[in-house]
Amino acid sequence: LASHGIVSLAIDTNNVLDQPDARSRALLDGLESLKKENMREGSPVKDKLDTSRVGLMGWSMGGGGTWLSADSRPELKVAVSLCGWYIGSVGSRTMVPSLQLAVRDDELAAGMSQPVYRPKPSATPKMLVEWSSGGHWINNSPESKDHVVGRYGLPWIKVYLEGDERYRQFFKVMPTGTSDYKTNQ
């Protein structure tokens, strides 16, 4: 993302068992920290960040945290979940353009993306790409699935975070090897 001019902050959890609600709070806290750093005297990024264009991306329970955050924070510009994990009802209030990358044979989060995709309003840009195989870790690299993970993730972010319509063409074609593919784009 950084090589494309997108400032990224990676967070870790306090405990590997932190549930999606805790991950949501941590992701949103990370965004607030970046905003404060953008205003802090002496900060290397002071006044260099466009804090009106922020989004979230999360993997596994962090993907569930991303879903929760997108459902409650319409000011976000983009949300991307990678093998999102969440047990509960979420999505019906989501107004944030949302990309969900999932895997059918995911040993931890199989089948969790569809119940989040379905209730998202039809006016919300949304896309679900589920690979047939690859397991829970396959979406952790843009090079996975012959670079298709990156060819969907980065364009989605460029279009909805930055408004760069030149990238829309890259997520207009269903990728090969998918077991489920849904979009309103």
Side-chain angles (χ1 to χ4, degrees), residues 149-179:
V149 169
R151 280 189 292 234
Y152 275 72
L154 177 65
W156 190 268
I157 293 168
K158 295 294 271 185
V159 168
Y160 292 107
L161 184 66
E162 296 182 352
D164 191 338
E165 290 294 324
R166 296 175 301 169
Y167 285 84
R168 187 176 295 275
Q169 65 182 315
F170 297 110
F171 59 77
K172 285 295 209 178
V173 178
M174 184 175 99
T176 58
T178 57
S179 55

Side-chain angles (χ1 to χ4, degrees), residues 104-124:
R104 175 169 283 178
D105 74 352
D106 186 326
E107 58 275 18
L108 299 173
M112 290 191 170
S113 289
Q114 288 81 354
V116 174
Y117 180 89
R118 278 191 293 275
K120 288 182 180 165
S122 60
T124 299

